[in-house]
Amino acid sequence: MHLVFATCAAQPFIAADDQPLADVLRSLGYQVVPEPWTDIDPDTHLASDPVVLRSTWDFHRVPTMFSAWLAAMADSRRTLLNPADVALGNIDKVYLQGLEAAGIAIPRSRWIEKPDADSLAAILREEGWTQAVLKPRIGATAHGTFLISPNALPSDDDLAPARASGAMVQEFISEIVDRGELSMVYAGGAFSHAVAKRAKSGDFRVQKDFGGTVEPVEPPAITLAFGEAVMAHVPTSCAYARVDIVETTRGPLLMELELIEPELYLSIVPGSAERMARAIIDRLG
């Protein structure tokens, strides 16, 4: 059977971190083919192969187009992992409101449709925050994300991504600098592995794109329990999930629940690609 890894036009080939997964799938008899999601026609489902969302890393720049493509994939009933309805619900970070309402702890957050310097200054003043993090509601890899303070507010140009999608303003969690962010990866709903991501000195962004480092870790019991509580809200139809948290003095806080195209750190954790391949195969029927 052929299996399509959905990528993006700027990086059409299989991502380095996904290569171990492709290799395992090939060893199990699946021919893995990368294809930019913009080239995948949902209407050819009768003669088409299953699609796995992987490095669709440009979706946040064209969210309306991506949403329409996901909807068309759902209508066509072509197999997509993770499922189209799940991905549609994970595009906008407003999903965090629902998780918070269900009892999942997140950083204190404010939501704003059209941020500008005056509105951001007002939020900082009302909340008593000396620092906060501004994020577009639709974004990836810290695109359009800024550390703000009363004396350091983004320019109008910097605010363009947040204005396009609406924004969230979160209290700055100092532990993200001191301890980093923990990413827990789940294969077929079961915990597979975890990594600690730490920002370079002088930065708060943990992504490798900004000089951050990544290393495998074993989460403590309280963190694993928190991850299980988050995963209780993830449909069993999902082949993969990544729960990003920060461990704080008041307990774990959820930063993101990644269900579309997260890096899964398969290249640095032995055995993880095999577990993920099995989760995908199990959901292909």
mmCIF file of all heavy atoms in Angstrom, residues 30-73:
data_model
loop_
_atom_site.group_PDB
_atom_site.id
_atom_site.type_symbol
_atom_site.label_atom_id
_atom_site.label_comp_id
_atom_site.label_asym_id
_atom_site.label_seq_id
_atom_site.Cartn_x
_atom_site.Cartn_y
_atom_site.Cartn_z
ATOM 1 N N TYR A 30 4.749 -0.583 3.515
ATOM 2 C CA TYR A 30 4.070 0.622 3.044
ATOM 3 C C TYR A 30 5.043 1.503 2.274
ATOM 4 O O TYR A 30 6.132 1.800 2.768
ATOM 5 C CB TYR A 30 3.492 1.410 4.220
ATOM 6 C CG TYR A 30 2.364 0.694 4.912
ATOM 7 C CD1 TYR A 30 2.620 -0.299 5.863
ATOM 8 C CD2 TYR A 30 1.038 0.989 4.618
ATOM 9 C CE1 TYR A 30 1.587 -0.974 6.497
ATOM 10 C CE2 TYR A 30 -0.007 0.327 5.246
ATOM 11 C CZ TYR A 30 0.283 -0.654 6.185
ATOM 12 O OH TYR A 30 -0.745 -1.331 6.805
ATOM 13 N N GLN A 31 4.650 1.908 1.086
ATOM 14 C CA GLN A 31 5.464 2.809 0.290
ATOM 15 C C GLN A 31 5.077 4.250 0.640
ATOM 16 O O GLN A 31 3.966 4.686 0.349
ATOM 17 C CB GLN A 31 5.260 2.543 -1.199
ATOM 18 C CG GLN A 31 5.724 1.174 -1.650
ATOM 19 C CD GLN A 31 7.208 0.961 -1.393
ATOM 20 O OE1 GLN A 31 8.038 1.833 -1.715
ATOM 21 N NE2 GLN A 31 7.557 -0.177 -0.815
ATOM 22 N N VAL A 32 5.977 4.960 1.291
ATOM 23 C CA VAL A 32 5.681 6.301 1.772
ATOM 24 C C VAL A 32 6.116 7.328 0.727
ATOM 25 O O VAL A 32 7.274 7.344 0.295
ATOM 26 C CB VAL A 32 6.386 6.576 3.105
ATOM 27 C CG1 VAL A 32 6.074 7.988 3.598
ATOM 28 C CG2 VAL A 32 5.950 5.541 4.143
ATOM 29 N N VAL A 33 5.165 8.193 0.351
ATOM 30 C CA VAL A 33 5.412 9.204 -0.673
ATOM 31 C C VAL A 33 5.092 10.588 -0.091
ATOM 32 O O VAL A 33 3.983 10.801 0.405
ATOM 33 C CB VAL A 33 4.534 8.965 -1.912
ATOM 34 C CG1 VAL A 33 4.792 10.050 -2.965
ATOM 35 C CG2 VAL A 33 4.780 7.579 -2.482
ATOM 36 N N PRO A 34 6.039 11.537 -0.120
ATOM 37 C CA PRO A 34 5.732 12.894 0.339
ATOM 38 C C PRO A 34 5.020 13.683 -0.752
ATOM 39 O O PRO A 34 5.331 13.537 -1.942
ATOM 40 C CB PRO A 34 7.104 13.479 0.638
ATOM 41 C CG PRO A 34 8.011 12.791 -0.340
ATOM 42 C CD PRO A 34 7.463 11.391 -0.514
ATOM 43 N N GLU A 35 4.096 14.545 -0.348
ATOM 44 C CA GLU A 35 3.389 15.384 -1.309
ATOM 45 C C GLU A 35 2.875 16.633 -0.585
ATOM 46 O O GLU A 35 2.238 16.507 0.474
ATOM 47 C CB GLU A 35 2.226 14.633 -1.943
ATOM 48 C CG GLU A 35 1.555 15.387 -3.076
ATOM 49 C CD GLU A 35 0.523 14.545 -3.821
ATOM 50 O OE1 GLU A 35 0.319 13.374 -3.433
ATOM 51 O OE2 GLU A 35 -0.069 15.065 -4.777
ATOM 52 N N PRO A 36 3.132 17.826 -1.111
ATOM 53 C CA PRO A 36 2.589 19.025 -0.484
ATOM 54 C C PRO A 36 1.067 18.940 -0.396
ATOM 55 O O PRO A 36 0.409 18.507 -1.354
ATOM 56 C CB PRO A 36 3.040 20.150 -1.417
ATOM 57 C CG PRO A 36 4.268 19.622 -2.089
ATOM 58 C CD PRO A 36 4.011 18.163 -2.261
ATOM 59 N N TRP A 37 0.515 19.382 0.720
ATOM 60 C CA TRP A 37 -0.930 19.259 0.901
ATOM 61 C C TRP A 37 -1.705 20.018 -0.159
ATOM 62 O O TRP A 37 -2.823 19.609 -0.535
ATOM 63 C CB TRP A 37 -1.327 19.722 2.301
ATOM 64 C CG TRP A 37 -1.131 21.183 2.598
ATOM 65 C CD1 TRP A 37 -0.017 21.770 3.124
ATOM 66 C CD2 TRP A 37 -2.080 22.244 2.403
ATOM 67 N NE1 TRP A 37 -0.202 23.132 3.263
ATOM 68 C CE2 TRP A 37 -1.462 23.451 2.832
ATOM 69 C CE3 TRP A 37 -3.386 22.292 1.921
ATOM 70 C CZ2 TRP A 37 -2.106 24.686 2.777
ATOM 71 C CZ3 TRP A 37 -4.033 23.529 1.867
ATOM 72 C CH2 TRP A 37 -3.402 24.703 2.287
ATOM 73 N N THR A 38 -1.119 21.094 -0.682
ATOM 74 C CA THR A 38 -1.782 21.866 -1.718
ATOM 75 C C THR A 38 -1.879 21.113 -3.039
ATOM 76 O O THR A 38 -2.643 21.518 -3.926
ATOM 77 C CB THR A 38 -1.043 23.194 -1.944
ATOM 78 O OG1 THR A 38 0.367 22.943 -2.037
ATOM 79 C CG2 THR A 38 -1.287 24.155 -0.774
ATOM 80 N N ASP A 39 -1.135 20.028 -3.182
ATOM 81 C CA ASP A 39 -1.183 19.217 -4.402
ATOM 82 C C ASP A 39 -2.048 17.970 -4.236
ATOM 83 O O ASP A 39 -2.206 17.209 -5.197
ATOM 84 C CB ASP A 39 0.227 18.784 -4.814
ATOM 85 C CG ASP A 39 1.087 19.952 -5.267
ATOM 86 O OD1 ASP A 39 0.517 21.015 -5.577
ATOM 87 O OD2 ASP A 39 2.325 19.801 -5.299
ATOM 88 N N ILE A 40 -2.566 17.742 -3.049
ATOM 89 C CA ILE A 40 -3.361 16.544 -2.787
ATOM 90 C C ILE A 40 -4.823 16.846 -3.073
ATOM 91 O O ILE A 40 -5.427 17.703 -2.430
ATOM 92 C CB ILE A 40 -3.184 16.066 -1.336
ATOM 93 C CG1 ILE A 40 -1.715 15.700 -1.072
ATOM 94 C CG2 ILE A 40 -4.089 14.873 -1.040
ATOM 95 C CD1 ILE A 40 -1.407 15.386 0.375
ATOM 96 N N ASP A 41 -5.394 16.157 -4.027
ATOM 97 C CA ASP A 41 -6.777 16.390 -4.457
ATOM 98 C C ASP A 41 -7.728 15.525 -3.637
ATOM 99 O O ASP A 41 -7.717 14.306 -3.763
ATOM 100 C CB ASP A 41 -6.925 16.065 -5.939
ATOM 101 C CG ASP A 41 -8.307 16.410 -6.485
ATOM 102 O OD1 ASP A 41 -9.188 16.793 -5.686
ATOM 103 O OD2 ASP A 41 -8.507 16.284 -7.705
ATOM 104 N N PRO A 42 -8.548 16.129 -2.792
ATOM 105 C CA PRO A 42 -9.467 15.321 -1.966
ATOM 106 C C PRO A 42 -10.469 14.531 -2.788
ATOM 107 O O PRO A 42 -10.987 13.512 -2.322
ATOM 108 C CB PRO A 42 -10.189 16.376 -1.114
ATOM 109 C CG PRO A 42 -9.302 17.571 -1.134
ATOM 110 C CD PRO A 42 -8.655 17.562 -2.488
ATOM 111 N N ASP A 43 -10.766 14.973 -4.006
ATOM 112 C CA ASP A 43 -11.837 14.356 -4.785
ATOM 113 C C ASP A 43 -11.418 13.098 -5.520
ATOM 114 O O ASP A 43 -12.217 12.517 -6.263
ATOM 115 C CB ASP A 43 -12.388 15.381 -5.785
ATOM 116 C CG ASP A 43 -13.050 16.550 -5.081
ATOM 117 O OD1 ASP A 43 -13.661 16.313 -4.021
ATOM 118 O OD2 ASP A 43 -12.937 17.687 -5.580
ATOM 119 N N THR A 44 -10.179 12.658 -5.351
ATOM 120 C CA THR A 44 -9.741 11.441 -6.031
ATOM 121 C C THR A 44 -9.699 10.258 -5.072
ATOM 122 O O THR A 44 -8.925 9.326 -5.247
ATOM 123 C CB THR A 44 -8.356 11.638 -6.665
ATOM 124 O OG1 THR A 44 -7.415 11.953 -5.619
ATOM 125 C CG2 THR A 44 -8.365 12.764 -7.680
ATOM 126 N N HIS A 45 -10.590 10.294 -4.056
ATOM 127 C CA HIS A 45 -10.495 9.314 -2.976
ATOM 128 C C HIS A 45 -10.746 7.885 -3.419
ATOM 129 O O HIS A 45 -10.280 6.941 -2.794
ATOM 130 C CB HIS A 45 -11.485 9.673 -1.864
ATOM 131 C CG HIS A 45 -12.916 9.558 -2.264
ATOM 132 N ND1 HIS A 45 -13.518 10.493 -3.064
ATOM 133 C CD2 HIS A 45 -13.847 8.609 -1.995
ATOM 134 C CE1 HIS A 45 -14.773 10.136 -3.256
ATOM 135 N NE2 HIS A 45 -15.003 9.005 -2.633
ATOM 136 N N LEU A 46 -11.484 7.683 -4.494
ATOM 137 C CA LEU A 46 -11.814 6.309 -4.881
ATOM 138 C C LEU A 46 -10.575 5.540 -5.331
ATOM 139 O O LEU A 46 -10.553 4.316 -5.249
ATOM 140 C CB LEU A 46 -12.863 6.321 -5.989
ATOM 141 C CG LEU A 46 -14.248 6.819 -5.561
ATOM 142 C CD1 LEU A 46 -15.198 6.817 -6.758
ATOM 143 C CD2 LEU A 46 -14.820 5.937 -4.442
ATOM 144 N N ALA A 47 -9.564 6.253 -5.786
ATOM 145 C CA ALA A 47 -8.353 5.582 -6.251
ATOM 146 C C ALA A 47 -7.118 6.141 -5.573
ATOM 147 O O ALA A 47 -6.016 6.050 -6.112
ATOM 148 C CB ALA A 47 -8.236 5.722 -7.763
ATOM 149 N N SER A 48 -7.302 6.724 -4.399
ATOM 150 C CA SER A 48 -6.190 7.408 -3.761
ATOM 151 C C SER A 48 -5.768 6.728 -2.468
ATOM 152 O O SER A 48 -6.530 5.977 -1.856
ATOM 153 C CB SER A 48 -6.548 8.866 -3.486
ATOM 154 O OG SER A 48 -6.730 9.563 -4.700
ATOM 155 N N ASP A 49 -4.574 7.042 -2.035
ATOM 156 C CA ASP A 49 -3.976 6.421 -0.870
ATOM 157 C C ASP A 49 -4.231 7.242 0.389
ATOM 158 O O ASP A 49 -4.493 8.447 0.320
ATOM 159 C CB ASP A 49 -2.472 6.284 -1.096
ATOM 160 C CG ASP A 49 -2.164 5.509 -2.372
ATOM 161 O OD1 ASP A 49 -2.620 4.358 -2.470
ATOM 162 O OD2 ASP A 49 -1.492 6.076 -3.252
ATOM 163 N N PRO A 50 -4.155 6.606 1.551
ATOM 164 C CA PRO A 50 -4.316 7.343 2.806
ATOM 165 C C PRO A 50 -3.274 8.445 2.948
ATOM 166 O O PRO A 50 -2.159 8.340 2.435
ATOM 167 C CB PRO A 50 -4.118 6.261 3.874
ATOM 168 C CG PRO A 50 -4.389 4.975 3.175
ATOM 169 C CD PRO A 50 -3.935 5.173 1.768
ATOM 170 N N VAL A 51 -3.649 9.502 3.667
ATOM 171 C CA VAL A 51 -2.778 10.653 3.856
ATOM 172 C C VAL A 51 -2.524 10.846 5.343
ATOM 173 O O VAL A 51 -3.454 10.769 6.159
ATOM 174 C CB VAL A 51 -3.421 11.935 3.277
ATOM 175 C CG1 VAL A 51 -2.527 13.151 3.540
ATOM 176 C CG2 VAL A 51 -3.695 11.771 1.788
ATOM 177 N N VAL A 52 -1.265 11.077 5.694
ATOM 178 C CA VAL A 52 -0.890 11.396 7.070
ATOM 179 C C VAL A 52 -0.409 12.843 7.098
ATOM 180 O O VAL A 52 0.525 13.206 6.369
ATOM 181 C CB VAL A 52 0.219 10.462 7.590
ATOM 182 C CG1 VAL A 52 0.577 10.818 9.038
ATOM 183 C CG2 VAL A 52 -0.224 9.005 7.502
ATOM 184 N N LEU A 53 -1.068 13.667 7.889
ATOM 185 C CA LEU A 53 -0.619 15.052 8.051
ATOM 186 C C LEU A 53 0.725 15.053 8.773
ATOM 187 O O LEU A 53 0.826 14.614 9.903
ATOM 188 C CB LEU A 53 -1.639 15.850 8.871
ATOM 189 C CG LEU A 53 -2.992 16.109 8.221
ATOM 190 C CD1 LEU A 53 -3.955 16.677 9.251
ATOM 191 C CD2 LEU A 53 -2.840 17.049 7.040
ATOM 192 N N ARG A 54 1.730 15.579 8.114
ATOM 193 C CA ARG A 54 3.025 15.654 8.765
ATOM 194 C C ARG A 54 3.588 17.069 8.704
ATOM 195 O O ARG A 54 3.252 17.885 9.530
ATOM 196 C CB ARG A 54 4.003 14.612 8.153
ATOM 197 C CG ARG A 54 3.703 13.176 8.560
ATOM 198 C CD ARG A 54 3.452 12.992 10.054
ATOM 199 N NE ARG A 54 4.446 13.611 10.888
ATOM 200 C CZ ARG A 54 4.155 14.423 11.911
ATOM 201 N NH1 ARG A 54 2.912 14.727 12.223
ATOM 202 N NH2 ARG A 54 5.119 14.949 12.645
ATOM 203 N N SER A 55 4.378 17.398 7.740
ATOM 204 C CA SER A 55 5.046 18.710 7.765
ATOM 205 C C SER A 55 4.277 19.746 6.935
ATOM 206 O O SER A 55 4.834 20.381 6.046
ATOM 207 C CB SER A 55 6.492 18.568 7.281
ATOM 208 O OG SER A 55 6.557 17.840 6.071
ATOM 209 N N THR A 56 3.010 19.939 7.269
ATOM 210 C CA THR A 56 2.192 20.971 6.607
ATOM 211 C C THR A 56 2.454 22.304 7.306
ATOM 212 O O THR A 56 1.535 22.951 7.824
ATOM 213 C CB THR A 56 0.696 20.600 6.659
ATOM 214 O OG1 THR A 56 0.312 20.427 8.042
ATOM 215 C CG2 THR A 56 0.425 19.310 5.915
ATOM 216 N N TRP A 57 3.696 22.728 7.280
ATOM 217 C CA TRP A 57 4.161 23.799 8.150
ATOM 218 C C TRP A 57 3.786 25.201 7.687
ATOM 219 O O TRP A 57 4.151 26.182 8.351
ATOM 220 C CB TRP A 57 5.673 23.684 8.322
ATOM 221 C CG TRP A 57 6.072 22.472 9.106
ATOM 222 C CD1 TRP A 57 5.330 21.814 10.048
ATOM 223 C CD2 TRP A 57 7.316 21.767 9.018
ATOM 224 N NE1 TRP A 57 6.028 20.744 10.553
ATOM 225 C CE2 TRP A 57 7.249 20.684 9.943
ATOM 226 C CE3 TRP A 57 8.470 21.940 8.261
ATOM 227 C CZ2 TRP A 57 8.296 19.790 10.121
ATOM 228 C CZ3 TRP A 57 9.511 21.045 8.438
ATOM 229 C CH2 TRP A 57 9.423 19.986 9.362
ATOM 230 N N ASP A 58 3.065 25.310 6.578
ATOM 231 C CA ASP A 58 2.654 26.639 6.122
ATOM 232 C C ASP A 58 1.167 26.895 6.350
ATOM 233 O O ASP A 58 0.650 27.931 5.928
ATOM 234 C CB ASP A 58 2.998 26.817 4.644
ATOM 235 C CG ASP A 58 2.308 25.784 3.749
ATOM 236 O OD1 ASP A 58 1.644 24.868 4.295
ATOM 237 O OD2 ASP A 58 2.438 25.887 2.505
ATOM 238 N N PHE A 59 0.464 25.986 7.015
ATOM 239 C CA PHE A 59 -0.989 26.113 7.106
ATOM 240 C C PHE A 59 -1.412 27.405 7.806
ATOM 241 O O PHE A 59 -2.464 27.980 7.490
ATOM 242 C CB PHE A 59 -1.596 24.894 7.820
ATOM 243 C CG PHE A 59 -1.561 24.958 9.322
ATOM 244 C CD1 PHE A 59 -2.588 25.580 10.031
ATOM 245 C CD2 PHE A 59 -0.514 24.400 10.039
ATOM 246 C CE1 PHE A 59 -2.559 25.649 11.414
ATOM 247 C CE2 PHE A 59 -0.481 24.469 11.422
ATOM 248 C CZ PHE A 59 -1.506 25.102 12.109
ATOM 249 N N HIS A 60 -0.592 27.862 8.770
ATOM 250 C CA HIS A 60 -0.976 29.053 9.526
ATOM 251 C C HIS A 60 -0.915 30.318 8.678
ATOM 252 O O HIS A 60 -1.489 31.347 9.071
ATOM 253 C CB HIS A 60 -0.063 29.212 10.747
ATOM 254 C CG HIS A 60 1.377 29.418 10.421
ATOM 255 N ND1 HIS A 60 2.174 28.412 9.923
ATOM 256 C CD2 HIS A 60 2.170 30.523 10.507
ATOM 257 C CE1 HIS A 60 3.388 28.878 9.734
ATOM 258 N NE2 HIS A 60 3.415 30.156 10.070
ATOM 259 N N ARG A 61 -0.239 30.261 7.540
ATOM 260 C CA ARG A 61 -0.167 31.426 6.664
ATOM 261 C C ARG A 61 -1.368 31.499 5.723
ATOM 262 O O ARG A 61 -1.681 32.584 5.201
ATOM 263 C CB ARG A 61 1.144 31.405 5.861
ATOM 264 C CG ARG A 61 2.386 31.460 6.755
ATOM 265 C CD ARG A 61 3.662 31.517 5.945
ATOM 266 N NE ARG A 61 4.839 31.501 6.802
ATOM 267 C CZ ARG A 61 5.381 32.572 7.377
ATOM 268 N NH1 ARG A 61 4.819 33.764 7.186
ATOM 269 N NH2 ARG A 61 6.461 32.469 8.134
ATOM 270 N N VAL A 62 -2.018 30.353 5.494
ATOM 271 C CA VAL A 62 -3.211 30.303 4.627
ATOM 272 C C VAL A 62 -4.295 29.473 5.330
ATOM 273 O O VAL A 62 -4.752 28.460 4.803
ATOM 274 C CB VAL A 62 -2.868 29.722 3.241
ATOM 275 C CG1 VAL A 62 -2.107 30.729 2.397
ATOM 276 C CG2 VAL A 62 -2.071 28.420 3.370
ATOM 277 N N PRO A 63 -4.715 29.887 6.520
ATOM 278 C CA PRO A 63 -5.631 29.045 7.302
ATOM 279 C C PRO A 63 -6.979 28.808 6.636
ATOM 280 O O PRO A 63 -7.568 27.733 6.801
ATOM 281 C CB PRO A 63 -5.780 29.815 8.617
ATOM 282 C CG PRO A 63 -5.427 31.228 8.284
ATOM 283 C CD PRO A 63 -4.375 31.133 7.230
ATOM 284 N N THR A 64 -7.479 29.795 5.903
ATOM 285 C CA THR A 64 -8.768 29.608 5.224
ATOM 286 C C THR A 64 -8.657 28.536 4.154
ATOM 287 O O THR A 64 -9.521 27.654 4.031
ATOM 288 C CB THR A 64 -9.250 30.932 4.603
ATOM 289 O OG1 THR A 64 -9.380 31.914 5.635
ATOM 290 C CG2 THR A 64 -10.594 30.751 3.917
ATOM 291 N N MET A 65 -7.581 28.561 3.387
ATOM 292 C CA MET A 65 -7.354 27.546 2.356
ATOM 293 C C MET A 65 -7.167 26.169 2.989
ATOM 294 O O MET A 65 -7.705 25.168 2.502
ATOM 295 C CB MET A 65 -6.131 27.921 1.510
ATOM 296 C CG MET A 65 -5.847 26.959 0.367
ATOM 297 S SD MET A 65 -4.268 27.309 -0.476
ATOM 298 C CE MET A 65 -4.577 28.995 -1.028
ATOM 299 N N PHE A 66 -6.397 26.134 4.073
ATOM 300 C CA PHE A 66 -6.147 24.853 4.731
ATOM 301 C C PHE A 66 -7.445 24.284 5.310
ATOM 302 O O PHE A 66 -7.717 23.083 5.192
ATOM 303 C CB PHE A 66 -5.103 25.030 5.827
ATOM 304 C CG PHE A 66 -4.618 23.762 6.461
ATOM 305 C CD1 PHE A 66 -3.918 22.810 5.719
ATOM 306 C CD2 PHE A 66 -4.846 23.497 7.802
ATOM 307 C CE1 PHE A 66 -3.457 21.633 6.297
ATOM 308 C CE2 PHE A 66 -4.401 22.324 8.395
ATOM 309 C CZ PHE A 66 -3.703 21.395 7.635
ATOM 310 N N SER A 67 -8.251 25.131 5.910
ATOM 311 C CA SER A 67 -9.522 24.678 6.472
ATOM 312 C C SER A 67 -10.435 24.140 5.375
ATOM 313 O O SER A 67 -11.107 23.110 5.561
ATOM 314 C CB SER A 67 -10.221 25.823 7.210
ATOM 315 O OG SER A 67 -9.465 26.247 8.327
ATOM 316 N N ALA A 68 -10.464 24.830 4.230
ATOM 317 C CA ALA A 68 -11.296 24.366 3.115
ATOM 318 C C ALA A 68 -10.806 23.020 2.598
ATOM 319 O O ALA A 68 -11.608 22.133 2.254
ATOM 320 C CB ALA A 68 -11.291 25.410 1.995
ATOM 321 N N TRP A 69 -9.484 22.850 2.560
ATOM 322 C CA TRP A 69 -8.924 21.569 2.104
ATOM 323 C C TRP A 69 -9.280 20.452 3.085
ATOM 324 O O TRP A 69 -9.671 19.354 2.662
ATOM 325 C CB TRP A 69 -7.406 21.703 1.968
ATOM 326 C CG TRP A 69 -6.710 20.445 1.553
ATOM 327 C CD1 TRP A 69 -6.675 19.894 0.305
ATOM 328 C CD2 TRP A 69 -5.952 19.559 2.402
ATOM 329 N NE1 TRP A 69 -5.945 18.728 0.313
ATOM 330 C CE2 TRP A 69 -5.490 18.505 1.583
ATOM 331 C CE3 TRP A 69 -5.630 19.576 3.747
ATOM 332 C CZ2 TRP A 69 -4.716 17.463 2.099
ATOM 333 C CZ3 TRP A 69 -4.857 18.548 4.257
ATOM 334 C CH2 TRP A 69 -4.409 17.500 3.445
ATOM 335 N N LEU A 70 -9.166 20.712 4.370
ATOM 336 C CA LEU A 70 -9.537 19.707 5.361
ATOM 337 C C LEU A 70 -11.012 19.345 5.240
ATOM 338 O O LEU A 70 -11.382 18.162 5.318
ATOM 339 C CB LEU A 70 -9.239 20.216 6.776
ATOM 340 C CG LEU A 70 -7.774 20.310 7.175
ATOM 341 C CD1 LEU A 70 -7.647 21.009 8.527
ATOM 342 C CD2 LEU A 70 -7.118 18.925 7.242
ATOM 343 N N ALA A 71 -11.859 20.340 5.056
ATOM 344 C CA ALA A 71 -13.291 20.080 4.916
ATOM 345 C C ALA A 71 -13.567 19.224 3.677
ATOM 346 O O ALA A 71 -14.404 18.305 3.713
ATOM 347 C CB ALA A 71 -14.063 21.394 4.844
ATOM 348 N N ALA A 72 -12.848 19.524 2.598
ATOM 349 C CA ALA A 72 -13.019 18.724 1.382
ATOM 350 C C ALA A 72 -12.524 17.297 1.591
ATOM 351 O O ALA A 72 -13.131 16.336 1.081
ATOM 352 C CB ALA A 72 -12.279 19.386 0.220
ATOM 353 N N MET A 73 -11.440 17.130 2.342
ATOM 354 C CA MET A 73 -10.964 15.784 2.657
ATOM 355 C C MET A 73 -12.008 15.023 3.464
ATOM 356 O O MET A 73 -12.242 13.828 3.245
ATOM 357 C CB MET A 73 -9.641 15.861 3.432
ATOM 358 C CG MET A 73 -8.452 16.297 2.618
ATOM 359 S SD MET A 73 -7.902 15.071 1.400
ATOM 360 C CE MET A 73 -7.114 13.852 2.458
#
